[in-house]
């Protein structure tokens, strides 16, 4: 059967694989050989599911947004990942990976972070398990996400600034990879999205797939059927989208919409709209679409939301774009901010600015009154309060 999921060689169509320096080969290969065996083991499953329930607070509600639906004359459900412990979907993955690290007998965790959400989610699970945690973060992101830096420190993590390049997520990722090369035996690298060398994109997508697993039975309770007409999610690296799409990937009756950050506009030179502007290349160990200059240098991206400010997308999403399976829509800073404020005032929910990009789709695209739409509300807006205050002069 034709599948949009990963193949045995670690590719989604032409994208994916593991393009890594030889120094990393043993680490990545150890993970590749063990991850499925570990994840499918019943003791792992039991521990993972128990923590998702009692620690993260899953299942996250599937909420019928009545006033938002009325405004856009369609049926909108919000998958409330914003209600998870630590405020976003990222914790689903870090819980899974810390259990993976324990079973691989690793004693030291490294991670990269952009918005700081993945850093907080990683520091959280390291505190939970009593394991050393080092988080790399771009210097600019450290400045614009100060509360998350404080959280990581309170949770016992060491935060190391990445000072090179654009001083954002891609540079933090480079530093984390460098660390892993220098510490190949005792360290596990918890990647925060469906990016990086195989098996990371698949492993992270599987941990996040709890989102679409829950959507199916929750929608059945609300609507008497397991499948929506549309699933909408924002895409930075693509992990919340991968989780929300996962169980619907091969059912083309369920239309998938991926939302990227257009920053100050697609043609402004200040955006992070990777599918619209990107070309094939290799970034952080994976063959995918990325923003680059004509001679192949990775371009510095821009978005008002730190979580979407990344020049690549995961290989699953590159394939969903190339094959036409998902529709990609780009949303500017201003459009996202407006949609974020609208959700506050229509539903009493303050969304993360990343999630607000997904919400802005309703101004761009017309849906039918009886369409059933699930929008993955990837996170809450507490971390973005300063950005909201500055933007709206509150
Ligand atoms: C990190 C983050 C994102 C972007 O990451 P994905 O891997 O694309 O999901 C989106 N929303 C929130 C709230 C985030 O913290």
């Amino acid at each position: 059967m034709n599948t949009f999921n990963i193949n045995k060689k670690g590719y989604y169509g032409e994208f994916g694989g593991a393009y890594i320096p030889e120094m990393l080969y043993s680490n990545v290969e150890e993970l590749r050989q063990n991850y499925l065996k570990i994840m499918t083991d019943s003791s792992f499953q039991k521990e993972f599911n128990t923590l998702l329930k009692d620690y993260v607070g899953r299942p996250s509600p599937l909420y019928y947004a009545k006033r938002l639906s009325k405004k856009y004359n369609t049926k909108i459900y919000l998958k409330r990942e914003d209600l998870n412990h630590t405020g976003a979907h990222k914790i689903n993955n870090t819980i899974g990976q810390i259990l993976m690290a324990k079973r691989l007998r690793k004693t030291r965790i490294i991670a990269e972070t952009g918005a700081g959400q993945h850093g907080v989610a990683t520091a959280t699970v390291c505190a939970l398990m009593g394991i050393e945690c080092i988080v790399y973060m771009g210097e600019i992101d450290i400045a614009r996400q100060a509360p998350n830096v404080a959280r990581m420190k309170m949770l016992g993590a060491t935060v190391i600034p990445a000072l090179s390049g654009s001083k954002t997520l891609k540079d933090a990722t480079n530093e984390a990879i460098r660390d892993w090369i220098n510490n190949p035996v005792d360290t596990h690298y918890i990647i925060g999205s469906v990016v990086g060398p195989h098996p990371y994109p698949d492993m992270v997508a599987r941990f996040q797939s709890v989102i679409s697993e829950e959507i199916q039975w929750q929608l059945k309770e609300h609507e008497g059927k397991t499948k929506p007409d549309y699933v909408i999610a924002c895409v930075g690296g693509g992990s919340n989208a991968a989780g929300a799409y996962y169980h619907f990937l091969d059912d083309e009756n369920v239309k998938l919409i991926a939302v990227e950050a257009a920053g100050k506009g697609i043609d402004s030179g200040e955006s992070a709209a990777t599918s619209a502007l990107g070309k094939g290349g290799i970034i952080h160990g994976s063959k995918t679409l990325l923003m680059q200059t004509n001679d192949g240098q990775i371009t510095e991206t821009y978005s008002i939301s730190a979580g979407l400010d990344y020049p690549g997308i995961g290989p699953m999403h590159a394939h969903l774009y190339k094959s036409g399976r998902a529709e990609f829509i780009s949303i500017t800073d201003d459009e996202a901010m407006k949609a974020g404020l609208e959700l506050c005032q229509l539903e009493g929910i303050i969304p993360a600015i990343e999630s607000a990009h997904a919400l802005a789709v309703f101004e761009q695209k017309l849906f039918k009154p009886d369409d059933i739409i699930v929008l993955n509300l990837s996170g809450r807006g507490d971390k973005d309060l300063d950005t909201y205050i500055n933007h709206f002069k509150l």
Side-chain angles (χ1 to χ4, degrees):
M1 191 185 100
N2 186 22
T3 177
F4 291 92
N5 214 326
I6 200 158
N7 67 24
K8 285 211 171 66
K9 292 190 169 139
Y11 283 82
Y12 301 86
E14 64 188 281
F15 301 108
Y19 299 82
I20 49 173
E22 201 177 320
M23 305 280 290
L24 273 187
Y25 182 79
S26 58
N27 301 30
V28 173
E29 185 60 14
E30 179 188 29
L31 190 61
R32 190 188 69 79
Q33 285 185 4
N34 292 294
Y35 82 109
L36 285 178
K37 204 164 53 207
I38 291 173
M39 284 179 77
T40 52
D41 178 72
S42 65
S43 80
F44 182 96
Q45 288 278 324
K46 187 157 176 250
E47 200 176 351
F48 182 53
N49 290 328
T50 301
L51 284 171
L52 287 184
K53 176 167 171 282
D54 297 337
Y55 189 72
V56 176
R58 303 203 72 91
S60 68
L62 184 70
Y63 165 68
Y64 176 59
K66 199 169 166 192
R67 296 207 330 126
L68 190 69
S69 298
K70 184 152 185 273
K71 160 126 203 223
Y72 292 103
N73 193 25
T74 189
K75 277 185 145 173
I76 304 169
Y77 286 88
L78 302 176
K79 180 60 172 159
R80 300 288 310 274
E81 295 299 299
D82 61 312
L83 293 177
N84 291 340
H85 180 45
T86 73
H89 64 289
K90 298 235 166 58
I91 190 91
N92 305 326
N93 169 46
T94 58
I95 293 270
Q97 285 205 49
I98 198 77
L99 297 180
M100 179 70 60
K102 270 181 35 178
R103 278 162 175 78
L104 293 169
R105 296 192 165 70
K106 305 292 179 180
T107 55
R108 181 176 174 270
I109 294 295
I110 57 171
E112 85 296 332
T113 196
Q117 290 297 98
H118 175 58
V120 170
T122 303
T124 299
V125 298
C126 287
L128 178 67
M129 298 296 170
I131 297 181
E132 183 188 2
C133 180
I134 292 117
V135 179
Y136 291 93
M137 187 170 189
E139 198 181 29
I140 287 185
D141 291 337
I142 288 180
R144 61 180 171 177
Q145 302 287 345
N148 274 343
V149 177
R151 284 186 188 105
M152 286 184 262
K153 290 181 178 166
M154 288 177 73
L155 292 161
T158 306
V159 181
I160 302 183
L163 305 171
S164 64
S166 55
K167 305 184 179 67
T168 59
L169 181 55
K170 93 174 151 52
D171 313 288
T173 307
N174 287 336
E175 295 297 327
I177 290 172
R178 208 162 293 149
D179 180 310
W180 208 21
I181 288 174
N182 292 327
N183 298 282
V185 178
D186 62 343
T187 299
H188 175 70
Y189 177 17
I190 300 191
I191 294 184
S193 190
V194 286
V195 300
H198 179 64
Y200 277 100
D202 185 44
M203 179 172 71
V204 177
R206 285 170 186 263
F207 287 140
Q208 292 292 359
S209 72
V210 64
I211 299 172
S212 57
E213 194 179 298
E214 289 172 5
I215 289 172
Q216 293 178 93
W217 64 258
Q218 290 174 320
L219 201 63
K220 177 95 182 169
E221 286 181 4
H222 284 281
E223 294 283 343
K225 59 183 201 173
T226 58
K227 286 164 188 174
D229 296 299
Y230 290 88
V231 180
I232 304 178
C234 65
V235 173
S239 67
N240 87 85
Y245 297 165
Y246 198 87
H247 289 88
F248 309 116
L249 273 175
D250 291 336
D251 183 344
E252 298 199 39
N253 292 321
V254 181
K255 293 173 212 95
L256 309 177
I257 297 179
V259 185
E260 293 185 321
K264 295 182 178 164
I266 290 273
D267 301 317
S268 67
E270 291 185 75
S271 88
T274 308
S275 68
L277 299 171
K279 291 195 282 288
I282 289 165
I283 182 169
H284 302 136
S286 171
K287 190 170 166 209
T288 187
L289 291 172
L290 61 130
M291 312 242 306
Q292 51 190 300
T293 60
N294 284 336
D295 49 3
Q297 290 295 318
I298 293 168
T299 314
E300 289 184 9
T301 49
Y302 163 80
S303 165
I304 196 167
S305 94
L308 303 183
D309 195 352
Y310 181 69
I313 46 173
M316 173 197 281
H317 299 290
H319 183 50
L320 293 176
Y321 175 76
K322 239 337 191 1
S323 62
R325 170 69 182 96
E327 178 183 0
F328 280 66
I329 294 178
S330 336
I331 294 296
T332 65
D333 289 357
D334 288 347
E335 291 163 343
M337 296 304 283
K338 188 164 165 265
L341 193 63
E342 181 178 78
L343 189 74
C344 299
Q345 297 180 358
L346 283 180
E347 298 289 348
I349 298 169
I350 301 175
I353 298 173
E354 292 85 359
S355 320
H357 281 73
L359 290 159
V361 162
F362 296 114
E363 283 290 336
Q364 301 263 315
K365 188 179 166 78
L366 202 60
F367 294 94
K368 295 204 268 317
D370 58 355
D371 278 339
I372 296 171
I373 299 159
V374 173
L375 185 145
N376 199 39
L377 202 70
S378 55
R380 57 178 176 248
D382 307 31
K383 70 182 175 63
D384 297 317
L385 218 54
D386 279 344
T387 312
Y388 277 116
I389 289 169
N390 289 333
H391 189 85
F392 292 111
K393 318 256 182 290
L394 299 170

